[in-house]
Amino acid sequence: MFIAKNKYLFIGISILMVIASFYSVYTYGLNLGIDFKGGSILEVDYKDARPEVVAIKDKIKELNIGEVVVQETGDKGVIIKMKDLKEEERVKLMDSLKTITLTGTTTLASFDEKRFDSIGPVVGEELKRKTWVAIGLVMLMIALFVAFAFRQVSYPVKSYKFGIATLISLAHDTIIPTGIMAYFGYKYGTEIDILFISALLAILGFSVHDTIVVFDRVRENLKNKVAKTFEEIVGISINQTFVRSINTSATTIFTLLALYFFGGESTKTFSLILAIGIFFGTYSSVFLASPILLMMESWQEKSK
């Protein structure tokens, strides 16, 4: 009953976190990757030892092709992100990488090209627009589905209010990770790419699953009239699902953190953002969605 009785406290905490996230995005901006602003990405796999990242960056600087990002991947692989390259620039880059001398030896670096992708700025801008539209549509469709699924619930709150509460909590679950990514981009140069968008969509699915579990228990308890007031029914429903939600999320987060610390470089951002998003998604399912439902019921009673 603690969560139900202190609904405004937890709603206030969520509002503060959302405001902080908007401030982060406004202050630091979003460090978009080549998927959204255009550019080239080259992935190579070295046959012997992998050169130091510093040595690779120094060699690429000689080509005067602008700022580059070099990331290690796997045991011997390297991912290089840079501006959109023409074919002759790509050839010069490949030749330059072959002339890197491996540390502690006179042997030149030998590698296999795994992929080379190039995205123009126009395509990147279109992809950025479609990405946010897709996320918005997913959130809207989920909210409509929840409203439809609870269509038989008409008292004390209408079914569409379950959908509104779900939509608000989903917005909460996307805004906060985006704000955190804005700070990471400023502090550590972390880029927002397609993997980040994939993580956001996974977060939405995970969050709505937890939210529906709580709402479904509310529906059952309303039907069985386990308490006299709606606040008591919601409080009992949260208590009945609380341990399950926390345990499910905790095991998933621990797995993602293991992937972050021990997995490949290319999945670090994805696993970290997914872990952060699931944490806040669990918070919103338990501490935000149900309190919003209670708040709307309270406003409804006062308006009578």
Side-chain angles (χ1 to χ4, degrees):
M1 294 297 295
F2 176 77
I3 298 173
K5 289 184 179 298
N6 295 276
K7 54 182 178 292
Y8 292 112
L9 169 65
F10 294 110
I11 291 174
I13 292 173
S14 292
I15 290 174
L16 288 176
M17 290 191 293
V18 168
I19 292 174
S21 299
F22 276 122
Y23 175 80
S24 175
V25 173
Y26 176 78
T27 303
Y28 305 121
L30 297 176
N31 186 23
L32 300 178
I34 66 168
D35 297 327
F36 298 110
K37 65 182 180 182
S40 299
I41 180 169
L42 170 68
E43 182 176 359
V44 299
D45 197 18
Y46 286 91
K47 296 179 180 179
D48 300 312
R50 176 172 52 199
E52 296 291 336
V53 170
V54 175
I56 297 175
K57 287 184 176 180
D58 290 342
K59 181 59 68 172
I60 296 176
K61 279 183 180 179
E62 299 174 2
L63 301 176
N64 295 321
I65 58 175
E67 184 179 354
V68 297
V69 176
V70 180
Q71 298 175 333
E72 295 178 346
T73 179
D75 294 329
K76 298 181 180 180
V78 170
I79 294 176
I80 304 172
K81 299 178 181 179
M82 66 222 105
K83 71 169 190 177
D84 190 18
L85 298 182
K86 298 177 181 178
E87 179 59 25
E88 56 268 25
E89 290 177 320
R90 187 187 75 85
V91 173
K92 289 181 180 180
L93 173 63
M94 299 296 289
D95 292 338
S96 178
L97 293 177
K98 292 176 183 178
T99 62
I100 299 176
T101 303
L102 299 178
T103 304
T105 178
T106 58
T107 306
L108 298 181
S110 177
F111 60 83
D112 293 321
E113 180 181 352
K114 297 185 68 175
R115 65 180 172 121
F116 179 82
D117 297 322
S118 187
I119 300 175
V122 175
V123 175
E125 189 65 29
E126 183 180 0
L127 182 60
K128 180 170 63 175
R129 178 180 58 82
K130 289 184 176 180
T131 294
W132 297 120
V133 170
I135 292 176
L137 286 177
V138 168
M139 291 169 55
L140 179 61
M141 295 304 296
I142 289 176
L144 291 174
F145 169 76
V146 171
F148 176 78
F150 289 84
R151 63 191 181 280
Q152 295 179 345
V153 180
S154 59
Y155 181 83
V157 293
K158 298 292 185 180
S159 61
Y160 74 87
K161 293 184 179 180
F162 284 87
I164 292 175
T166 302
L167 183 61
I168 294 173
S169 65
L170 291 178
H172 166 278
D173 300 340
T174 55
I175 292 170
I176 293 177
T178 303
I180 292 173
M181 275 295 288
Y183 176 75
F184 283 173
Y186 164 76
K187 188 73 175 179
Y188 306 109
T190 307
E191 293 183 341
I192 290 180
D193 54 15
I194 289 298
L195 279 179
F196 171 73
I197 304 304
S198 301
L200 283 186
L201 294 174
I203 290 166
L204 292 178
F206 200 98
S207 175
V208 75
H209 176 267
D210 268 356
T211 302
I212 287 179
V213 168
V214 179
F215 282 177
D216 191 57
R217 188 57 59 93
V218 171
R219 176 173 59 182
E220 292 300 315
N221 287 335
L222 278 172
K223 185 188 300 182
N224 297 328
K225 299 180 180 179
V226 299
K228 293 182 179 180
T229 67
F230 186 58
E231 182 178 275
E232 291 176 332
I233 289 175
V234 171
I236 292 170
S237 302
I238 293 173
N239 289 341
Q240 290 173 339
T241 58
F242 184 80
V243 174
R244 175 216 174 267
S245 296
I246 297 300
N247 288 343
T248 302
S249 299
T251 53
T252 307
I253 290 172
F254 289 150
T255 302
L256 290 169
L257 290 178
L259 181 62
Y260 173 76
F261 287 110
F262 305 110
E265 186 70 27
S266 59
T267 60
K268 279 186 178 294
T269 301
F270 174 81
S271 55
L272 180 60
I273 290 300
L274 196 52
I276 292 172
I278 289 175
F279 174 83
F280 286 106
T282 303
Y283 176 89
S284 70
S285 298
V286 177
F287 297 94
L288 180 62
S290 296
I292 287 174
L293 205 60
L294 286 170
M295 184 179 67
M296 289 190 290
E297 188 269 343
S298 176
W299 288 351
Q300 179 178 292
E301 289 297 317
K302 290 179 181 180
S303 64
K304 289 183 179 179

